[in-house]
Amino acid sequence: MGMFDAINISASALHAQRVRMDVIAQNIANANTTRTEDGTPYRRKIVVFEERKQSFGDILNEKLNASSDTYAGVRVKAIIEDTSPFKKVYDPTHPDSDQNGYVNYPNVDIVTEMVNMIEASRAYEANVTAMNITKSMITRIFEIGK
C-alpha cells in the first residue's frame, strides 16, 4: 500500500457518501410527489456501493503475488429504485385518487431517510477525519527527513 493510498481510499468514500446524501435529499424532496413524468408516484432510490479495485495490472499483480491488499476504496455501483409498495391514503378530493378515492404516495419514509442522512453524514465526517490524520502523518514523515 502506497503512502497516498489511504488518502485516495478516503476520497473515494467521501465521493460515495456525497452521492448517497444527494439521493437521500432527492428522496425527501419527493416524499409527497404523487405523479412523476411516467404518471406514477415517485419511487424511493437507494445507493448501492461496491469495493473499487485498482487497475487491471494491479489486480493481475495481486493474483500473481498471491496478495489480497490491493484496494482502492469504494464506488457507487448503482442507484436503484426501492420496489416496496406505495403508501395508500384515502383522499377522494386529490386529483390523483383512484376510483375508490385512494391516492398512491411515494414509498419514502421521512424518518428512515433522516436516519440514513445522519449515517451518511457521520461516515463522511469519519472519512474526513481519516484523511486529515493521514495527511498529518505524511507531513510528519517529511519533517523527519529534514
Side-chain angles (χ1 to χ4, degrees), residues 7-74:
I7 290 177
N8 291 334
I9 290 169
S10 291
S12 72
L14 290 174
H15 173 72
Q17 292 301 335
R18 185 193 53 79
V19 170
R20 183 176 176 212
M21 286 189 278
D22 289 346
V23 169
I24 292 168
Q26 182 181 5
N27 287 342
I28 293 170
N30 286 291
N32 292 314
T33 303
T34 58
R35 189 182 318 164
T36 58
E37 292 175 357
D38 63 358
T40 61
Y42 176 82
R43 280 211 175 269
R44 177 177 181 255
K45 292 181 176 47
I46 303 168
V47 179
V48 179
F49 297 140
E50 75 176 356
E51 174 188 6
R52 186 179 73 189
K53 286 281 195 176
Q54 291 182 348
S55 69
F56 175 75
D58 293 333
I59 294 171
L60 182 62
N61 286 334
E62 171 190 328
K63 296 300 179 193
L64 292 174
N65 296 328
S67 68
S68 60
D69 60 352
T70 312
Y71 303 107
V74 66

